[in-house]
Amino acid sequence: MDARKSIRAKSGTNLGGASAHNRRIMIDALRINGALSRADLARATGLTPQTVSNIIEELARDGLVQSQASVRKGRGQPATPYHLVPDGAFAIGLQIDRHVTRTVIVNLVGDVLVQTESKLPSGGPAEGVLVILDIVGKACETLTAQFPHAAGKLVGLGLAMPGPFGINELYDDPWMMTAWQNFPLAERIAEGTGLEVALQNDASAAATAERLLGAAHGLDHVVCIYLGYGLGAGLILNGEIYGGAYSNAGEIGMMLALAPGDDANVEPLEHYTSMASLCNVLGIDPSDPRLFALVTDAVADGGPAVERWINNAADRLRRTVQMLESIFDPQTTILCGGAPQALIDRLIERMGPLMPSIADRAQRYPEPRLQAGLADPWSVALGAAAEPIARAFNPRFSAILKTP
């Protein structure tokens, strides 16, 4: 059997100067498929057996892979499978939202080892960053209590928060975290932790979580509509998260939309389709720790106000899906986010039937045009934690390029 048909792996290159890329190719193949022998890896990646052996030995020395008991398959020498060592690397994910900060720490294979949250103070980022550094420090102490060697194996910290970043404020919008976005947050956290920090918007982090654990697993072309306090889209293009030139790709909540029955009043889409707008209708404080339960009960109970909001939001999302399909031609669109599952499911139900688009064809991917994703307040922090792991170990074209 051709290993390329049964083992999911990207192709390596036997050209000189590509060792960093080939290391990532090998780690990626082991992460996706589990334990593989050197022969399996060579067939799946297109690398020579000698190259595979050299990389396996190097990864073993670095504590990233480990051999299992040999397995005999037919005639010949028994094969020795290799697997990733979960505690070979660790990463921190940090979500900052309007009222709360959440921190998770994961290992090389994505297991959540530490999970904690704290309410943000009302004094803004100057006070908030102290709370954030404290909660990250305590999370690291919890990690090192379990894994004493973990401090030397932290590969970075992923930071996710609502965007857009670095734009001119076109209108007075209390929902936008302008003070936080203008604060040197990543720099302060890097100084306080000694780690490399990468910032992305919350929708991109949610899309990463979907690719790891949710409906986007194994797919390379996906649009994830993230329904949180605001509204955004995480874009998975050619198997990688696309952030845009300034990390603002997918800011669909900023698209202008007409108010219902008003041909003159134009406001951002997220003013009508977001958890914040629903909380406003329901008279719920978005910072209430019982938010998910309160919204779930409200959706279950129904009522004219809730039904009007759902119908209006579903109609706007239906048109948004048609537009995103026309632009990106995804395998599927996923509705996910920091919203209860009951709300996600009701919106998808009301969004049908979807509008005609290029995705509406008989010969299409087996995935549906639209499906529900993770409805978990921790998904953004988890996706943020996956970013440093991806940055350090996932195959990227940039790893092939020689730097001066």
Side-chain angles (χ1 to χ4, degrees):
M1 178 184 296
D2 186 353
R4 292 174 186 263
K5 296 180 180 179
S6 57
I7 300 175
R8 292 174 52 210
K10 293 180 172 64
S11 296
T13 175
N14 292 298
L15 297 174
S19 59
H21 177 67
N22 290 336
R23 274 174 58 100
R24 291 166 178 259
I25 289 292
M26 301 275 284
I27 292 172
D28 187 57
L30 292 172
R31 179 183 61 80
I32 293 175
N33 299 284
L36 296 172
S37 70
R38 299 187 190 200
D40 288 336
L41 285 164
R43 286 192 293 267
T45 62
L47 296 170
T48 67
Q50 185 59 55
T51 297
V52 168
S53 293
N54 292 342
I55 294 174
I56 284 292
E57 291 174 7
E58 182 182 339
L59 293 175
R61 287 195 302 269
D62 292 343
L64 297 173
V65 304
Q66 192 174 54
S67 63
Q68 297 180 348
S70 298
V71 178
R72 184 176 294 280
K73 297 180 180 178
R75 298 180 180 179
Q77 294 293 325
T80 301
Y82 291 84
H83 67 276
L84 293 178
V85 178
D87 59 350
F90 304 90
I92 302 173
L94 177 63
Q95 178 193 13
I96 298 173
D97 212 333
R98 278 84 175 175
H99 313 289
V100 67
T101 179
R102 298 184 179 93
T103 300
V104 300
I105 302 181
V106 301
N107 61 18
L108 180 59
V109 297
D111 299 323
V112 176
L113 306 175
V114 181
Q115 181 173 297
T116 183
E117 70 176 346
S118 178
K119 193 169 183 177
L120 286 173
S122 58
E127 293 182 22
V129 72
L130 301 178
V131 173
I132 291 165
L133 288 172
D134 181 65
I135 195 173
V136 170
K138 289 178 179 177
C140 289
E141 290 175 3
T142 302
L143 177 70
T144 52
Q146 301 177 53
F147 303 93
H149 67 290
K153 290 184 174 291
L154 278 168
V155 296
L157 184 149
L159 171 60
M161 64 180 290
F165 305 121
I167 67 169
N168 297 323
E169 194 166 354
L170 303 178
Y171 46 83
D172 183 19
D173 188 349
W175 294 0
M176 291 180 64
M177 299 178 67
T178 305
W180 284 87
Q181 292 157 358
N182 293 332
F183 187 78
L185 188 60
E187 292 82 356
R188 287 289 302 276
I189 293 175
E191 292 171 3
T193 62
L195 297 171
E196 183 179 350
V197 176
L199 173 65
Q200 62 181 327
N201 65 40
D202 50 5
S204 292
T208 300
E210 286 291 343
R211 196 154 194 262
L212 283 177
L213 302 170
H217 184 69
L219 302 180
D220 289 331
H221 307 277
V222 180
V223 172
C224 295
I225 298 178
Y226 176 73
L227 180 69
Y229 189 91
L231 184 71
L235 308 174
I236 302 174
L237 307 180
N238 291 322
E240 295 187 11
I241 296 293
Y242 178 72
Y246 305 102
S247 300
N248 286 327
E251 285 289 348
I252 59 174
M254 298 292 293
M255 296 190 305
L256 298 180
L258 287 171
D262 189 342
D263 293 335
N265 186 18
V266 180
E267 295 186 52
L269 177 62
E270 63 185 14
H271 285 199
Y272 310 110
T273 307
S274 63
M275 284 287 285
S277 67
L278 178 57
C279 286
N280 184 54
V281 168
L282 298 175
I284 297 174
D285 181 358
S287 66
D288 193 315
R290 302 169 299 157
L291 178 62
F292 264 47
L294 292 172
V295 172
T296 298
D297 290 344
V299 171
D301 293 342
V306 172
E307 294 303 315
R308 279 196 302 271
W309 185 92
I310 290 176
N311 286 334
N312 181 42
D315 181 61
R316 295 177 185 278
L317 287 172
R318 182 186 301 113
R319 285 177 278 165
T320 301
V321 167
Q322 197 272 349
M323 178 194 66
L324 292 170
E325 287 177 333
S326 300
I327 296 172
F328 295 108
D329 190 24
Q331 291 166 277
T332 188
T333 298
I334 299 170
L335 181 61
C336 62
Q341 190 69 58
L343 179 59
I344 297 290
D345 291 342
R346 283 289 297 282
L347 284 170
I348 287 181
E349 177 187 354
R350 295 289 178 88
M351 289 167 69
L354 295 175
M355 298 174 67
S357 82
I358 60 171
D360 187 16
R361 56 188 183 274
Q363 303 267 324
R364 61 168 282 111
Y365 299 101
E367 290 77 25
R369 285 178 60 186
L370 176 67
Q371 59 184 305
L374 298 172
D376 186 340
W378 290 93
S379 62
V380 169
L382 178 59
E387 196 283 333
I389 296 289
R391 190 181 345 129
F393 300 114
N394 281 11
R396 295 183 180 181
F397 177 71
S398 59
I400 305 176
L401 303 178
K402 295 181 180 179
T403 56

